[in-house]
């Protein structure tokens, strides 16, 4: 019987090629998206599960208290935490600290007489390899980085630095200062590992291992608890350990443990983690919702197209029932038919997904590889998707059609179709979803355009930041600055600790002694010309002095308007006032600049200061250049750099590109959204096409009669199209408020945002109407131009 | 006695008025009879045939089929009854387009859960009997109307029904093909199959042993 169901279904597919193609196309698109999203979600969920002690590994979180840090949660802990926990907390089996080179800066590596730039050099405790079981190709994980000045390389790093030469025992030089001996090579960390180091140097090489402090919270700390140890009990004990080591007044944070299972997906809002692989559970939820929506649209489509053929189906069902078929066997038959169709669509979907994966990876930044598609969990998942799709898509035809009475076929009159309402509702659903997606994409694009063109208060265009971290002496840096200044295409040069768009040192600004919490302020060491390079607007006072005498304890500060507003001063009043912002007693305001967006537009503008204390260095040379010949300028800059810094590579950042990086996630959302939107509209059109075909078939006789009575082709086309326009109008009316609410919510994640104008809705509405008209009129014209004799003769 | 209709009425409501499709039909059919139902369009011929075939229900009266009182049966039992004893032949043949001649013949046997070897034997017999062995792998669209109706009859006969109901079986055929089909009905009747046919043609009606004439839902 089953074999027979499949045989009939297969021949049916072959007979009605256009319908089968429409059906398979719609379902394939839906399933492709479902498969892609499913693999993306499983990839994100698979993070870190490869580690044996997965369930016992925790990251130490620093929960700041007080207002200065806005209750921010840091993923990095003070250096003293790990040794203290290991020592005093019995439940801890292993503990390890990780410090990214210079708190997250690029490292300049010299190896085998070549210069390299390395973004993923970490200084770590040896127990890291016990916590995250790391496979060593050479060397011993238990002892490789116990000694100071040792380093282990990932396999790919070893190949990059040493080629075919055996790196064991060789030396690499970091930032032209520190020499490290290579004591091991490890297998690269998997792409779904949060830990993503290329080079791991011994933590004992660093200054912080000698005097671990309880205040500088810059060390990502992982612990592995013993089997069956309780997280809550351990956290309580951690508080006691903190109390023992830091007096109550010095405690600006509490400690907690984050299970490894939450590290990847639930850490988006935590600051200062070093990993480049941060997932987001809300992104996963949104994508899942979108994928399900599209799959649902495709299923709805299938139902629509199936019932559109109910005329022929009614006959089939009737014949089969007179031949002795039960309703049950007919339900089985329709399910078999749906199952076969979805299976074909699924196969196409799998092939398409494999073809699309590279593009998908670029868009979403995921790294799904083909091996993943062979994993049992993925195959089971795909089977589930297939089953669910079959059950959902097949339900309506199976139960609606198998219920036809056998006498229907013996009556010559057209069956009146009572389920027209349901079918119309299905189309309204599809188009509502499409219109919401169109509005969504338009709003996202408007917001992205707005961010691109917004006046940030400074000009990041044509500014490049050259890293000078590898240049040791002040004189050499000065020499480089002078060299660069001489270039014809360079307008202005300044050196600074950092630049807008990157984190600099956080301090707290206090109004007076009573103001205990203060306000969080970003402080950036800079020289005189930096304001000029960034083209900041000076509201009062002057820029930092160009020369600072040796031994001068006075700290000059240029604040932004936000900061002086917090202090309760006007720009003019502020000049010459002393300011308490953890820069010593002699910090004096000498200038005020207008507010500028030094962070992403997601965040409101905070307090910012340029100053000339000696607490921090100035590892960046900021260069404003003439936009005429960027390539030429870059060549000149590089050769100037290489003249001064012979032992390290040229590393640079364009400020505007760096700003754009901040919106990478938003652009990803826009791209995925646009893709989904186009596909959803396409699939919805297939459904509308089916419905139009169905209606035309149903009204064939009516159209014939009208034509015989003298109706024109245009008149009939209009009559048929008007009905559908009503459905589209209903969809639009439902879609607008839904889209408005959803997009308003999205926009609220930006501190600087557009307001949604009526134009967006107008454009979205017109798009829907035009697309629907094109789809429907094809069928309408076909029906209207048909010869009426044919349709009237069938009686 | 095969079946008996007593005072059968069927009507539909239209605008608060009863419109009678069948009025007081009384009919007794013995096994082995060949009956023609005649009458002009709209006289209720097809409705009567559908009621006899249990595809349609009536509003009043009694219908006994063998030992069962059809008017007292639930839908499910009724359909079991017709599936077991009645074969249908249609004016428009109503073969399944996706299936070959062989598979069309096999279909009723599949629904009745015959074993594979039984199906093979029965279908082979039928193909043989109607001389269509050479056409067994063709699809309906590859056959002439007369050949399609031949397959339709073979399919109605395959599960060995007691009664064949034919609704204008020659209506879509030319006169020569029609004659051939009627000859086959005559043969079948001789072999003992009970046949009730609806027809417009006096000539075809003459093949039957008895004719029932209908006018506006009444027997005349």
């Amino acid at each position: 019987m089953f074999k027979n169901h499949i045989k009939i279904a297969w021949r049916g597919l072959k007979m009605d090629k256009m319908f089968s193609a429409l059906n398979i196309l719609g379902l394939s698109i839906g399933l492709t998206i479902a498969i892609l999203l499913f693999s993306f979600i499983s990839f994100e969920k698979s993070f870190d599960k490869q580690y044996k002690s997965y369930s016992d590994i925790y990251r130490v979180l620093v929960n700041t208290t007080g207002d200065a840090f806005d209750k921010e949660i840091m993923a990095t802990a003070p250096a003293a935490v790990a040794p203290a926990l290991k020592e005093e907390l019995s439940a801890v089996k292993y503990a390890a600290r990780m410090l990214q080179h210079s708190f997250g800066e690029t490292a300049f590596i010299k190896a085998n007489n070549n210069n390299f730039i390395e973004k993923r050099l970490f200084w770590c405790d040896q127990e890291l390899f016990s916590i995250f079981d790391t496979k060593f190709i050479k060397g011993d994980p238990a002892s490789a980085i116990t000694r100071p000045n040792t380093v282990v390389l990932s396999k790919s790093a070893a190949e990059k630095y040493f080629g075919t030469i055996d790196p064991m025992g060789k030396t690499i030089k970091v930032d032209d200062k520190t020499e490290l001996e290579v004591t091991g090579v490890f297998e690269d960390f998997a792409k779904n590992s949060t830990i993503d180091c290329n080079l791991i140097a011994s933590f004992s090489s660093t200054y912080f291992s000698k005097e671990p402090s309880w205040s500088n919270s810059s060390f990502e700390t992982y612990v592995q608890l013993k089997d069956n140890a309780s997280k809550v009990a351990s956290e309580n004990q951690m508080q006691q350990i903190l109390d023992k080591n830091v007096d109550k007044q010095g405690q600006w944070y509490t400690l907690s443990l984050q299970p490894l299972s939450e590290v990847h997906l639930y850490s988006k809002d935590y600051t200062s983690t070093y990993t480049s692989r941060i997932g987001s559970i809300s992104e996963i939820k949104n994508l899942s919702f979108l994928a399900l929506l599209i799959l649902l649209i495709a299923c709805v489509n299938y139902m629509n197209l199936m019932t559109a053929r109910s005329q022929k189906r009614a006959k089939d069902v009737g014949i089969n029932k007179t031949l002795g078929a039960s309703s049950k066997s007919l339900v089985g038959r329709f399910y078999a038919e749906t199952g076969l169709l979805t299976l074909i669509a699924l196969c196409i979907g799998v092939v398409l997904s494999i073809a699309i994966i590279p593009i998908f990876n670029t868009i979403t930044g995921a790294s799904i590889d083909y091996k993943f598609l062979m994993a049992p969990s993925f195959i089971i998942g795909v089977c589930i998707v297939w089953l669910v799709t079959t059950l959902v898509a097949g339900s309506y035809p199976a139960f609606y059609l198998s219920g036809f009475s056998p006498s229907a076929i013996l009556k010559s009159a057209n069956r009146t179709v009572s389920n027209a309402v349901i079918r119309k509702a299905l189309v309204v659903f599809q188009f509502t979803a499409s219109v919401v997606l169109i509005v969504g994409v338009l709003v996202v694009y408007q917001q992205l355009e707005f961010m691109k063109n917004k006046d940030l208060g400074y000009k990041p265009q044509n500014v490049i930041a050259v890293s000078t971290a590898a240049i040791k002496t002040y004189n050499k840096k000065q020499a480089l600055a002078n060299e660069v200044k001489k270039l014809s295409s360079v307008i202005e040069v300044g050196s600074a600790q950092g630049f807008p768009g990157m984190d600099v040192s956080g301090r707290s600004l206090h109004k007076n002694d009573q103001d205990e919490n203060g306000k969080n302020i970003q402080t950036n060491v800079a020289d005189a010309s930096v304001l000029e390079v960034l083209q900041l607007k000076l509201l009062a006072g002057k820029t930092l002095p160009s020369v600072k005498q040796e031994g001068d304890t006075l700290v000059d500060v240029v604040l932004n308007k936000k900061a002086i507003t917090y202090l309760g001063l006007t720009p003019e009043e502020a000049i010459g006032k002393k300011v308490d912002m953890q820069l010593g007693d002699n910090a004096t305001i000498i200038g005020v600049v207008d507010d500028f967006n030094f962070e992403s537009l997601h965040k409101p503008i905070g307090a910012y200061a340029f100053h000339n204390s000696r607490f921090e260095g100035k590892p960046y040379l900021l260069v404003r250049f003439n936009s005429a010949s960027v390539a030429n300028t870059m060549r000149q800059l590089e050769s100037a750099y290489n003249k001064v810094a012979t032992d390290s590579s040229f590393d640079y950042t364009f400020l505007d590109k760096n700003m754009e990086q901040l919106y990478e996630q938003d652009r990803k959302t826009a791209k995925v959204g646009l893709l989904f939107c186009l596909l959803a509209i396409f699939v919805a059109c297939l459904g509308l096409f089916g419905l139009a075909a169905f209606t035309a078939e149903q009204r064939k006789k009516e159209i014939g009669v009208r034509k015989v009575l003298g109706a024109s082709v245009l008149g009939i086309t209009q009559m048929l199209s008007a009905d559908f326009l009503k459905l589209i109008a209903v969809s639009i009316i439902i879609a607008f408020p839904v889209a408005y609410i959803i997009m308003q919510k999205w926009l609220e994640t930006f501190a600087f945002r557009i307001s949604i104008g009526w134009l967006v809705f107008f454009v979205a509405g017109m798009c829907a109407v035009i697309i629907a008209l094109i789809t429907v009129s094809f069928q309408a014209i076909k029906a209207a131009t048909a010869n009426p004799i044919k349709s009237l003769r069938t009686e | 006695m095969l079946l008996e209709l007593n005072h059968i009425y069927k009507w539909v409501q239209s605008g608060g008025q009863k419109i009678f499709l069948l009025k007081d039909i009384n009919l007794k059919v013995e096994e082995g009879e060949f009956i023609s139902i005649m009458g002009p369009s709209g006289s209720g011929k097809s409705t009567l045939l559908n009621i006899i075939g249990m595809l349609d229900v009536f509003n009043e009266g009694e219908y006994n089929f063998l030992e069962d009182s059809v008017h007292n049966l639930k839908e499910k039992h009724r359909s079991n009854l017709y599936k077991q004893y009645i074969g249908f032949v249609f004016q428009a043949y109503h073969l399944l387009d996706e299936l070959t001649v062989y598979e069309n013949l096999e279909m009723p046997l599949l629904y009745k859960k015959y074993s594979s070897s039984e199906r093979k034997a029965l279908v082979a017999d039928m193909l043989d009997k109607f001389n269509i062995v050479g056409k067994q792998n063709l699809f309906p669209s590859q056959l002439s109307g007369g050949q399609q109706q031949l397959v339709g009859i073979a399919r109605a006969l395959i599960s060995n029904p007691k009664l064949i109901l034919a609704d204008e079986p020659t209506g879509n055929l030319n006169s020569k093909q029609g004659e051939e089909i009627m000859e086959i009905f005559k043969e079948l009747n001789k072999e003992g199959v009970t046949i009730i046919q609806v027809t417009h043609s006096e000539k075809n009606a003459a093949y039957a042993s008895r004719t029932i004439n209908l006018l506006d839902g009444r027997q005349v």
Side-chain angles (χ1 to χ4, degrees), chain A residues 1 4 7-8 11-12 15 312 315-316 319-326 329-330 406-407 409-410, chain B residues 50 55-56 82-83 86 88 90 94-100 103 106-108 110-112 139 155 167:
Chain A
M1 197 79 226
N4 218 59
K7 190 166 67 190
I8 295 180
R11 290 190 188 152
M15 248 179 213
K312 179 184 172 343
K315 190 188 122 186
D316 269 15
I319 298 171
N320 277 291
K321 282 198 170 173
T322 58
L323 294 181
S326 61
S329 74
L330 286 172
S407 61
I409 57 158
L410 304 169
Chain B
N50 285 349
L55 300 176
D56 213 343
Y82 82 69
K83 282 170 192 171
I86 302 177
F88 295 89
F90 308 103
H94 285 336
L95 300 179
L96 293 164
D97 299 336
E98 295 94 345
L99 300 183
T100 62
E103 287 158 350
E106 195 186 19
M107 206 67 207
L110 276 166
Y111 286 129
K112 293 193 173 83
F139 286 93
R155 187 179 64 180
D167 193 353

